[in-house]
Amino acid sequence: MAEATPPPASRAGTKKALPEKFQNYRHVWVAMELEHGQVHSVSYELLGEGRKLADKRGVELAAVVMGDSREALHRAATNAFEFGADKVYLVCDPVLAHYRNEVATKALTDLVNRYQPEILLLGATNLGRDLAGSVATTLETGLTADCTELAIDEEGSLAATRPTFGGSLLCTIFTLNFRPQMATVRPRVLAMPEPVPGRTGTIVEHPLELAEDDIVTKVVHFVADRDSDKAQLAYADIVVAGGLGLQSAENFQLVKQLAEVLGAEYGGSRPLVQKGWITADRQIGQTGKTIRPRLYIAAGISGAIQHRVGVEGADLIVAINTDPNAPIFEFAHLGIVADAVTLLPALTEAFARRLSVNRLAG
Amino acid sequence: MHIVVCIKQVPDSAQIRVHPVTNTIMRQGVPTIINPYDLFALEEALRLRDRHGGAVTVLTMGPPTAEQALRKALTFGADRAVLLTDRYFAGSDTLATSYALSMALGRIAADFGAPEIIFTGKQTIDGDTAQVGPGIAKRLRYNQLTYVSSIVDVAADRGRITVERRAEGGTQTLDTALPVLITMLEATNEMRRGTLDNALRAARQEILTWNAADVGIADLLKCGLRGSPTIVKKVFAPTARAEKAEIVTAEGGPAALAEATIAGIFARAPAVEADLYAFARQA
Amino acid sequence: MIDERFDAIVVGAGPSGNAAAYVMAKEGLKVLQIERGEYSGSKNVQGAILYADALERIMPDFRDDAPLERHVVEQRIWTMDDRSHTGVHYRSDDFNEEKPNRYTILRAQFDKWFSRRVQQAGAIVLCETTVTELVKDGQDRVIGVRTDRTGGAIFADVVILAEGVNGLVGQRSGLRPEVAPESVALAVKEMHFLPRETIEARFNLSGNEGVVIEAMGTITKGMAGTGFLYTNEESISVGIGCIVADFAEGEVTPYALLDAFKNHPSIRPLLAGSEIKEYAAHLIPEGGYKAMPQLVGDGWIVVGDAGQFVNAVHREGSNLAMTTGRVAAETVAWLKRRREPLDAVCLAEYTRRLADSFVMKDLKKYRGIPALLHHNKRTFFGLYPQLISKAAQTWLRVDGVDKVSKEKAILRSFREGRSLFGMIGDALKLARAWR
Ligand SMILES: Cc1cc2nc3c(=O)[nH]c(=O)nc-3n(C[C@H](O)[C@H](O)[C@H](O)COP(=O)(O)OP(=O)(O)OC[C@H]3O[C@@H](n4cnc5c(N)ncnc54)[C@H](O)[C@@H]3O)c2cc1C
Ligand SMILES: Cc1cc2nc3c(=O)[nH]c(=O)nc-3n(C[C@H](O)[C@H](O)[C@H](O)COP(=O)(O)OP(=O)(O)OC[C@H]3O[C@@H](n4cnc5c(N)ncnc54)[C@H](O)[C@@H]3O)c2cc1C
Ligand SMILES: Nc1ncnc2c1ncn2[C@@H]1O[C@H](COP(=O)(O)O)[C@@H](O)[C@H]1O
């Protein structure tokens, strides 16, 4: 073992004075997510929150937009201004057509190094987490992932709060000594701000010096979810799931039928995978998918903790179980003590009726 | 082909409880497990080795007790296990962790050959950051493929790999050059059960145990607490949801109960109602 | 293919298997231990009492690092009816000794620690592996085991069956009969988290002192069984168990029984505000001496619960398990040193050694008790506790009735409840069974 200095009493981040090289880092940035011309709603949520942070710090809010279509980028910039941005950094290049870590990391780190923001926020989506991780490592700064709350503390630092240990605890994390302070924030936990129509700002365009030939990773193919028949549980707005309480593989059809009427995804508890009633990619829970739908309907699922941690993020949890003491009623919002085998078809029919009435009306 | 899988031993989060008074984690009797996400990475690595030959090395950074996780990985069929442990690593955040692991990977490359593929799990269930993998990739200048759902093809001779990965709103098929770091998406495979031979070997095999100096870390400022830019200032329990589920009841059989349920859903989630009608009109 | 031989294979990593594997490994034998759980103790959740003496004989320094919760300074024995308990409490500062005699432990942690010691001693421990059958040679001698993992059989000179109460390996191989429902109790238990300050205040404890409550009475709804409550460091183990045959007769589920016990007015305040952590059910062999199967044969020995080594009256199990494991191991090592074959004749030395120890002496002493309690369960577990409670209440309530009348009323209620002959008969039967 190397001859040793005793371990330090404090960590790197706690020193008070910000190092010289970071003194000029100012302003709050939101890296907008813009895949295939569409702005992800989390970007607007972040702009709303970023506005508040910037005001508290007395600095500007800037948005970063990157892509290959100038038209889409300008549309996004217009939106960014309406949602509170003062400035937009715009990078337009054909190599940004599809998201690639390599390319996006270079684009964003170049911008950061050039314009030096003090706070950089991204959505905790697949894209955001992929990008934030490599940008933070490249810049050798701190990153707090998957936050649920942001604030500025008395000393002007970013206080990022996030769940840990599967949601049983929350912790508040600071990056005191490095810049920018980076965080990714879960979609749909921050409020969607009201846009101010006509609000504008300045656009700063920045070149990306990268040719396709220099890029190692090639996108061979992209299949959008809507064109795919694979399960998309993690991204679904509504999920209907079944558990052992359904008693047979045939009864699981009732779950699928309800899901179909609702345009929802379907899934199940782990024992169903083990019994072969559903495929592994439809398992929900700690060792399956973590879902975060607006509506989750669980039929005949007891609500074991391993299942619970995978669904707790749902906005509304509805549980159907014959046992009034089932643990799922501890965390569901709505409970129905009933036999799922008879209630599911009734629900399917009732929903179908309402929707068809509406279709005729519409 | 040489494949390294980074695994982490974590407390089984499902069994973590928060002390009702002090708000601290009660670790009493909480068992540790291999981070469940890492098992998908390990199984994928074993499959690649079975198909293409070579060896799988598992690597963990953690306390000496993390040896258990490594033995378990050997039981599943990994060929070699490395434990990176040193009190200087205590308190590492993701930046310091990825630094230490990348140094250990350097030593692994020197001793056993450079890995063509490094696997990590998508994220851990305790840290939950999903950053350590990308951090390693950046430091080692490996191409980074996160959220990989399937490995379509590895052409070791041409030095290329093709994978499908979960992108925003769809699935990307990417082709890139080896070596790569892959973070494997969950629920993409099912961990195998090791054979009796594997189990016996795992019980006896020597676990390579390295400290900071062993992997050539000279600058201890990059390790542990000192090497961690983020600082956890406060840990607290979320305000528990006091109320249990509101129980829906209705007179008149399943049909009435179904109506009452729908009314309950729409009352609580008007947006769902609006979306559903929009969906109905589209259909 | 495994072309390797071991001196001994131990099936199971509970207290008996761990004791056996540890002692043999320390004796320099080549030992393989196989456990079906994820780790030793993974199937044995929650609290229990550890009797130090049995472990001390195996590992004198165990107190240095064993995960011990609290040492027991107070024992409460309660008979309960539905609303009250009448109790004997014994508490002594003598139990605050340098080497305490009894501890509360959490089996999951304790077994894991023990298993680590076994591995350090040199035994190979395979977990998550189930022994599916014994391998026998042409002469019906046991020569090894087969497991549920692919890859064949493993061989050894002797197989020590430490597989617990319903160990199927011995049964499947025809070494012993299935356990009879009258000879085994089903116990359900829960662990309740409480801050240590709360526990200490509630039970008048300081430091690592602990309390044990053993209870019988109407809490088992007329079935033969007992309830218990142990204080751990930051939790309380609470449970209740009854003979399986009784459960089969009645309508009460084990869980409902535990629920009622927890809600008993004497227990509820002790658990108030706690958070339940785990619920588990486990069998306890309670048939005693008479239910004991054959203990040795050619190439095999039975230890622990698998051999019905439990003293149900005193709730001792793990100490008998460790002692039988140790004695079996010492016997094997002794025979090996003498180069004797490990056949039924030579292994009978194990039974001889046990006969000289407290294990067989105690079990023999109480051999009549299980049947007695079973056949008189309504009297012992329903009637008497009720009578005792009624008597105590009559005696303690100050209500203008003179003491002589109170004495008479108490005697009358006993006589009405159970004839004088019945009572004398019960006393005699109990005394005889106890002798
Ligand atoms: C390491 C580990 C990881 C795990 N990971 C996961 C995971 O990712 N996902 C997961 O789901 N599980 C997971 N589990 C398993 C988990 O612990 C539970 O065993 C599982 O979730 C139970 O599934 P269930 O609720 O479908 O079945 P059960 O627990 O059997 O519950 C069935 C429920 O249905 C009710 N019921 C019965 N009949 C009816 C009826 N006719 N109508 C309505 N209700 C009825 C019952 O009252 C009961 O509550 C994991 C376990 C471990 C140890
Ligand atoms: C509720 C309850 C409370 C108790 N309280 C106390 C107490 O306070 N004090 C006390 O001294 N005793 C107590 N006992 C009794 C004590 O727990 C047992 O006597 C003791 O555990 C017996 O040890 P054992 O090693 O024989 O069996 P076990 O502890 O049952 O161990 C057997 C092991 O073998 C494994 N196994 C079984 N079959 C196979 C197979 N085919 N292949 C591989 N592995 C296998 C099992 O997984 C298990 O780990 C209690 C019992 C219960 C149920
Ligand atoms: N201490 C560690 N040792 C080895 N691998 C780790 C460690 N921490 C994290 N990893 C790997 O990095 C992945 C992402 O972890 P995290 O960034 O903590 O979510 C995990 O799934 C592991 O594969």
Side-chain angles (χ1 to χ4, degrees), chain B residues 6-8 35 38 60-61 101 120-121 123-124 129-132:
Chain B
C6 297
I7 65 171
K8 184 178 182 192
N35 177 35
D38 299 348
T60 194
M61 177 180 104
L101 287 172
T120 73
Q123 65 197 61
T124 50
T129 74
Q131 271 155 241
V132 169

Side-chain angles (χ1 to χ4, degrees), chain B residues 221-235:
Chain B
L221 282 170
K222 286 188 164 177
C223 295
L225 279 170
R226 286 192 295 187
S228 300
T230 59
I231 154 164
V232 180
K233 273 218 177 155
K234 190 167 85 173
V235 178

